[in-house]
Amino acid sequence: MARPASPEWLIEDGIGETRALLIAGEQVLAAKMIWPGELRAGQPARGKLTAKLKGSRRGVALLESGGEALVDHLPPAVTEGQMLDLVITRAPLAERGRLKRAQARVAGAHNIALPLPLAEGRTVRRLPTGLWEEVWQAASSASFDFPNGEVLVSVTPAMTVIDIDGIGSPRDVALAAVPAIARALAWFEIGGNIGIDFPTLAAKADRRAVDEALEAALAGWPHERTAMNGFGFVQLVARLEGPSLLHRFATARLGAAARMALRRAELAADDGTGRVLQLTVHPALKAKLKPEWLDELARRTGRLVEIAVDPALAIEAANAQLIVR
């Protein structure tokens, strides 16, 4: 019997974003989407303490790279105006109408459990066929199918909410949804406060069965969890390191779609012949295609790049083809 493949991070250096999948065999276990220039958890930074909150060990630092960070666990001797070497513990988060500051701690002052860098993964020219597309489509729709049902995931300023819709008895639907919930949490890189709204289960034995199934499904995912209450609600709390894939689509859908359009163009150039690479997009997407991205697309593919617009196309449905002229 063949031994199961060990999980491995595979990294694709795309135009305008880095894509990473944790893969075991042909199965996607987790995903990350990283955009250049953004702060990341674990990244060193330097900043000037501009405010120290009275009666606490927290303050605000103006980062040399731009923007502000909320600094936690400040050493008592630190004073306003002092330059600090910091470690980012959570990237800034864009939300409707506001931007949550990054979070940081003073470097070397505390033992900080930080994520393993993706530098330990393996960079590949292309991720395995179809896997990124599967993750991207799931994140775009914010949903996962399971037998006779669907898990729907919504981002709110307070928490990420997971709703379950299915056909069958409430117990059967709840149990069938658990694997899809576990997959969504890892694929979408969800952290922070998470609420799961299961069907209402009147019997304590049924609630206990779902709790046990959820515990088993999330055994390798660090978190804290409440037991299911009488209304079918479960709350999870997990480390939040930055924007989830769902945050990307909720706050920068055009940007995410533009990057995917460029990826489709690269794939089209890999699979055909022709001097001109024509990328057809919705008109709203054209403005998001930065000139430097298009220059990079031309360099990578060795083709003349043309952009066509089609108002009938969905934002997410850009397509590309090679043209012989």
Side-chain angles (χ1 to χ4, degrees):
M1 179 182 294
R3 296 178 60 186
S6 299
E8 179 185 26
W9 278 106
L10 299 182
I11 304 163
E12 180 181 284
D13 184 17
I15 299 174
E17 71 179 1
T18 298
R19 311 167 187 113
L21 296 177
L22 181 63
I23 295 176
E26 298 181 354
Q27 182 180 4
V28 176
L29 303 181
K32 290 181 181 291
M33 179 190 289
I34 302 165
W35 289 357
E38 295 180 328
L39 291 173
R40 292 179 54 201
Q43 177 180 336
R46 187 165 172 78
K48 180 180 180 180
L49 189 67
T50 56
K52 192 173 182 181
L53 305 183
K54 188 174 181 180
S56 75
R57 295 179 60 189
R58 308 178 79 193
V60 177
L62 179 63
L63 302 177
E64 287 185 339
S65 59
E68 293 182 327
L70 185 63
V71 185
D72 201 5
H73 290 79
L74 282 169
V78 169
T79 60
E80 290 184 6
Q82 186 173 338
M83 293 298 297
L84 301 173
D85 290 318
L86 304 169
V87 176
I88 302 299
T89 56
R90 195 207 68 197
L93 292 174
E95 293 183 341
R96 290 188 296 271
R98 66 170 180 167
L99 179 69
K100 284 186 177 180
R101 296 185 181 101
Q103 294 181 359
R105 291 189 181 180
V106 176
H110 303 274
N111 294 323
I112 305 173
L114 295 171
L116 292 175
L118 286 182
E120 295 190 5
R122 178 163 61 93
T123 299
V124 295
R125 183 172 181 272
R126 292 280 181 266
L127 294 169
T129 302
L131 295 189
W132 181 256
E133 287 78 5
E134 187 178 3
V135 170
W136 196 90
Q137 291 296 340
S140 175
S141 65
S143 66
F144 260 114
D145 291 336
F146 63 89
N148 297 317
E150 183 181 19
V151 164
L152 302 171
V153 191
S154 303
V155 175
T156 78
M159 66 168 52
T160 300
V161 180
I162 300 175
D163 189 34
I164 296 155
D165 186 22
I167 300 172
S169 72
R171 175 192 169 102
D172 289 345
V173 170
L175 289 172
V178 167
I181 292 168
R183 184 182 297 181
L185 292 171
W187 277 30
F188 300 160
E189 199 180 0
I190 299 173
N193 291 315
I194 304 155
I196 307 175
D197 189 16
F198 284 100
T200 301
L201 300 175
K204 288 185 178 179
D206 290 345
R207 297 200 294 270
R208 188 182 312 112
V210 176
D211 283 335
E212 291 172 354
L214 194 60
E215 180 178 6
L218 302 181
W221 187 67
H223 69 286
E224 295 182 5
R225 182 179 70 256
T226 65
M228 181 186 291
N229 67 20
F231 299 100
F233 191 79
V234 175
Q235 184 175 359
L236 313 178
V237 180
R239 178 191 290 276
L240 179 61
E241 297 171 352
S244 67
L245 270 67
L246 298 185
H247 274 98
R248 302 284 192 194
F249 282 97
T251 61
R253 192 172 194 87
L254 283 174
R259 291 162 169 86
M260 189 59 169
L262 294 169
R263 185 174 195 269
R264 289 177 181 148
E266 284 195 84
L267 292 173
D270 287 346
D271 297 333
T273 58
R275 192 175 69 86
V276 177
L277 176 59
Q278 185 181 75
L279 178 59
T280 305
V281 299
H282 186 279
L285 212 59
K286 183 177 180 180
K288 288 293 183 178
L289 297 172
K290 299 179 181 181
E292 58 267 31
W293 290 354
L294 297 177
D295 290 344
E296 177 66 9
L297 178 61
R299 187 193 68 78
R300 290 189 181 199
T301 62
R303 265 82 170 193
L304 177 66
V305 175
E306 290 185 355
I307 305 299
V309 296
D310 182 354
L313 275 181
I315 294 293
E316 299 83 2
N319 61 78
Q321 62 179 335
L322 289 170
I323 301 174
V324 179
R325 287 181 182 167

